[in-house]
Amino acid sequence: MKKFTRSFILPGVIALFAISCNKGKSEYHLTATLPANIKADSLYLLDYKGDKIGGVAADKEGKFVFVGKTTEAAPAGISNEKLHLYIPFILENADISIDVKDTDMNTDIKGGEIQSIVYGYEKDPNYEKLNLERRKVSKEQFTNLDMTDEPKVEEARKIVNKVGDQVYKIKNDYLKKVVADDNPPMAKAIASTMISDRDYTAEKILARLDKYKKEIGKSDYITYYEKMMNEFKTMEDNAKTVTVGSDFKDVMGKTRNGEEIKLSDLVAKNKYTILEFWASWCGPCRGEIPNLKKAYAKYHGKGLEILSVSLDSKNAAWIKALDDEKTVWPNINIEGEFQNPQVVNYGITGIPASYLIDQNGKIVASNYDLREFDLDRTLSKFIK
């Protein structure tokens, strides 16, 4: 989350200013600074795939300096996994400064033509004000809130979402304007991939990217994103095959002790089985575990089983999460994360992903019907 104090500037003016400052640059010179109360031994520069471009320690002045060349402007980020720090920006051959202001990760980023155009919405005073208000309201509403009190939880979400919706509207409206106006094709391409709008379907985004790639020429980023979008379309099609009323698809993996477990074996032995895809690094997944524990305690004796399927790539992180959460139902880990064929079969693009399967192998409920307060309501309909 980034904080800007300057006045809002139109995208065209931003672009002209950035060009004048960075014209003719053949390499990037990126300088990142952290506040004194955030101690980091190093920072890493990541590309749009999440791969490390390089890592540096702080110099004598406490600055983290990256120097190199990039073939095109493209999304990137600086990261420190231990601190859970990740600051997204556009990496391009220019002088770029990233100044992290505080532990809330308010950040001031300067430099770069495409960066200035694409992230221009963050300079809108209304965006800055509402973004800060959203954070404040969220803390006020959820600090010490009893998450088992459904009416209070729903009211808190309603209040937070009211502010959040305004923030996203400013962002989306700005990005749509970047796409519509006379901006560099790469700025339009990146903006197209950042818009959160149901009208921006995979087909529409792919059509736009194809147009921009023809204007730009070769673009590794656009080619990569096109591949991602086509995979997403495949996942959407696969997800339609595991809706309520469909037959489940088998999943197999190994427990922490190396024992192999098949979903089909559990389905055959129990009246109902919950299939839950999750990962140790997924906050919402961890947040659902207390609800699953309550459901297991209440319904296991009546014929309910749960199979949790971890997408963790790091086995140690998965084992630690199991120890921390103290889950008692079967847990398996599968390799390949979202690219695992078993995950692809279910068309899963985000987790947690949940399915309730009866003994006949039919999916009788899924996802949001198996979340939070709805989990018990759904189970009570099937398990008496």
Side-chain angles (χ1 to χ4, degrees):
M1 202 170 291
K2 306 179 184 66
K3 178 179 177 183
F4 289 83
T5 56
R6 293 181 296 174
S7 299
F8 177 71
I9 308 174
L10 292 174
V13 178
I14 296 172
L16 287 173
F17 177 79
I19 292 171
S20 65
C21 292
N22 293 292
K23 186 177 180 180
K25 289 286 182 180
S26 60
E27 63 180 16
Y28 59 81
H29 191 279
L30 168 63
T31 304
T33 56
L34 302 176
N37 59 343
I38 297 182
K39 304 296 182 181
D41 54 359
S42 61
L43 288 181
Y44 288 94
L45 176 61
L46 308 181
D47 67 12
Y48 51 83
K49 298 177 184 177
D51 296 334
K52 290 179 180 178
I53 298 174
V56 297
D59 62 18
K60 294 180 180 179
E61 297 179 350
K63 298 178 180 179
F64 300 84
V65 180
F66 299 85
V67 179
K69 294 182 179 181
T70 181
T71 57
E72 63 180 342
I78 57 169
S79 171
N80 183 295
E81 191 173 342
K82 292 181 180 179
L83 297 175
H84 304 289
L85 181 152
Y86 182 79
I87 307 296
F89 69 103
I90 308 298
L91 180 64
E92 51 196 305
N93 292 324
D95 292 327
I96 303 170
S97 66
I98 300 178
D99 183 15
V100 181
K101 299 293 187 181
D102 51 43
T103 55
D104 286 330
M105 301 304 160
N106 287 315
T107 306
D108 186 16
I109 301 179
K110 298 177 181 177
E113 174 194 6
I114 306 300
Q115 165 72 30
S116 299
I117 295 171
V118 172
Y119 281 97
Y121 60 87
E122 294 184 328
K123 298 178 178 64
D124 183 337
N126 288 329
Y127 179 89
E128 179 183 0
K129 176 183 176 182
L130 288 168
N131 215 13
L132 291 173
E133 183 181 346
R134 177 180 59 171
R135 183 184 305 148
K136 177 184 176 183
V137 169
S138 182
K139 288 182 178 179
E140 291 174 348
Q141 292 298 318
F142 286 101
T143 300
N144 299 321
L145 179 65
D146 180 2
M147 297 302 291
T148 66
D149 189 328
E150 184 174 4
K152 289 184 179 179
V153 170
E154 293 301 323
E155 179 61 23
R157 284 181 178 155
K158 183 178 178 181
I159 293 171
V160 174
N161 288 341
K162 183 177 180 180
V163 181
D165 288 345
Q166 297 178 70
V167 173
Y168 287 118
K169 185 177 187 308
I170 292 174
K171 175 182 175 180
N172 281 333
D173 287 349
Y174 177 89
L175 291 172
K176 288 178 182 178
K177 184 172 175 56
V178 170
V179 171
D181 287 353
D182 184 18
N183 286 304
M186 184 53 80
K188 293 187 175 189
I190 296 173
S192 295
T193 65
M194 292 172 59
I195 295 171
S196 301
D197 193 317
R198 290 182 179 179
D199 291 337
Y200 270 66
T201 62
E203 289 78 8
K204 287 185 178 180
I205 294 174
L206 284 168
R208 288 184 180 277
L209 293 179
D210 183 62
K211 176 179 181 293
Y212 301 141
K213 188 165 66 172
K214 289 176 180 176
E215 295 176 12
I216 295 169
K218 184 178 182 294
S219 170
D220 291 338
Y221 171 69
I222 293 180
T223 298
Y224 173 81
Y225 205 88
E226 285 176 327
K227 180 176 179 291
M228 294 288 290
M229 291 304 297
N230 281 310
E231 289 177 355
F232 181 76
K233 286 173 62 180
T234 298
M235 299 294 257
E236 282 187 320
D237 292 338
N238 289 350
K240 294 175 184 177
T241 68
V242 285
T243 55
V244 172
S246 304
D247 293 328
F248 81 99
K249 297 180 181 181
D250 212 359
V251 177
M252 179 174 59
K254 291 184 178 181
T255 68
R256 62 188 295 169
N257 298 319
E259 176 190 358
E260 191 170 87
I261 292 181
K262 292 178 68 176
L263 172 61
S264 53
D265 291 339
L266 298 181
V267 169
K269 295 175 183 177
N270 297 278
K271 292 181 180 178
Y272 291 92
T273 303
I274 294 176
L275 171 63
E276 179 86 356
F277 291 92
W278 74 295
S280 65
W281 45 261
C282 169
C285 301
R286 302 287 288 265
E288 288 298 329
I289 291 177
N291 300 318
L292 290 170
K293 284 183 177 180
K294 290 179 183 178
Y296 199 75
K298 183 175 180 179
Y299 296 105
H300 179 58
K302 299 179 181 181
L304 175 70
E305 188 54 274
I306 300 174
L307 176 63
S308 287
V309 181
S310 166
L311 305 189
D312 278 288
S313 60
K314 298 179 181 178
N315 201 61
W318 170 52
I319 297 298
K320 184 178 185 304
L322 293 181
D323 291 339
D324 291 344
E325 300 292 353
K326 296 179 172 59
T327 56
V328 295
W329 54 83
N331 279 268
I332 60 175
N333 180 257
I334 58 178
E335 297 180 350
E337 302 178 293
F338 288 92
Q339 285 71 47
N340 184 289
Q342 300 178 101
V343 180
V344 174
N345 277 344
Y346 276 82
I348 295 171
T349 57
I351 51 177
S354 314
Y355 306 85
L356 180 64
I357 305 162
D358 69 15
Q359 202 162 16
N360 296 317
K362 293 291 184 183
I363 297 173
V364 296
S366 65
N367 293 318
Y368 289 108
D369 287 336
L370 302 174
R371 297 274 185 276
E372 299 181 341
F373 305 107
D374 288 323
L375 175 59
D376 183 70
R377 279 194 284 267
T378 297
L379 292 177
S380 67
K381 295 176 183 177
F382 296 102
I383 305 176
K384 305 299 181 184

